[in-house]
Amino acid sequence: MEKATFAGGCFWCLEPLFAELEGVEDVVVGYTGGEIEDPTYQQVCSGRTGHAEAIQVTFDAQRIAYRDLVQIFFSLHDPTTRDRQGADVGSQYRSAIFTHSPDQAAVAHEVVREMTEQHVWSRPVVTQIEPVRTFFPAEEYHQEYYQKNPGAGYCQVVIAPKLSKFPKHLPPKPKPATT
């Protein structure tokens, strides 16, 4: 198993989308890229810790390639807005790829270069690509937030529309067999 760490706005929005992918074994929401040990949600939301809301994806590279995860990441948020995704504003909502190896860094830079050459975005990509530091899992009530709270306002207004637009050509996890 390998790990991939992405920040692209609210971690509640990214988690359920990555959890649906074939080859993804686990997705944990948390914080990384900051200066203090084991920050709380309130500390990160203050914008003063340097952490980003992020997801850490555990995946089987034999079933889904890291490159695919990076491309999916870019399809799920706007990588051209610095420290902002929609109404979420602050460095904790920045677009970032936290790499776990030089190979991951090379792939991330290559995907950004390709997207730039293909003019996928009308503005420059501002996604930070840097080695992962310590990843701190968020508090338990943030884990699987959408799955646990599908009727919550934020889930209905922000996350559900993203799920409905999720590219259908991506390899979803197989549905469990019913008996």
Side-chain angles (χ1 to χ4, degrees):
M1 291 293 156
E2 294 185 35
K3 294 203 183 293
T5 304
F6 303 107
C10 174
F11 50 29
W12 291 346
C13 292
L14 294 176
E15 179 193 35
L17 298 162
F18 276 88
E20 289 296 312
L21 297 171
E22 174 70 30
V24 169
E25 298 300 317
D26 191 32
V27 181
V28 176
V29 301
Y31 320 109
T32 193
E35 303 303 324
I36 68 169
E37 291 292 313
D38 204 18
T40 66
Y41 181 67
Q42 289 73 23
Q43 289 171 318
V44 172
C45 285
S46 76
R48 294 189 295 258
T49 69
H51 290 87
E53 286 193 14
I55 60 167
Q56 191 156 82
V57 179
T58 302
F59 68 101
D60 180 346
Q62 299 299 312
R63 294 171 56 208
I64 188 165
Y66 179 73
R67 172 182 268 284
D68 292 337
L69 294 174
V70 171
Q71 290 173 324
I72 291 164
F73 167 70
F74 280 117
S75 76
L76 299 176
H77 78 296
D78 181 352
T80 69
T81 55
R82 188 170 310 282
D83 297 341
R84 175 185 204 122
Q85 289 297 308
D88 294 328
V89 179
S91 63
Q92 67 271 29
Y93 301 114
R94 68 187 176 271
S95 176
I97 299 173
F98 297 96
T99 59
H100 292 257
S101 69
D103 287 342
Q104 283 190 356
V107 167
H109 284 290
E110 184 176 312
V111 170
V112 169
R113 182 185 53 74
E114 290 169 359
M115 288 187 330
T116 301
E117 288 173 357
Q118 296 167 7
H119 304 287
V120 171
W121 302 95
S122 61
R123 296 182 311 244
V125 171
V126 298
T127 302
Q128 298 170 341
I129 300 170
E130 61 187 71
V132 71
R133 298 188 222 173
T134 304
F135 180 85
F136 301 98
E139 297 83 350
E140 183 56 36
Y141 70 93
H142 290 295
Q143 307 301 327
E144 299 176 343
Y145 186 83
Y146 179 77
Q147 184 180 16
K148 294 174 185 172
N149 302 283
Y154 188 86
C155 294
Q156 290 297 305
V157 173
V158 178
I159 302 173
K162 285 186 180 202
L163 281 169
S164 70
K165 292 180 197 174
F166 194 54
K168 302 300 182 214
H169 66 278
L170 300 174
K173 284 187 177 177
K175 301 286 184 212
T178 56
T179 54

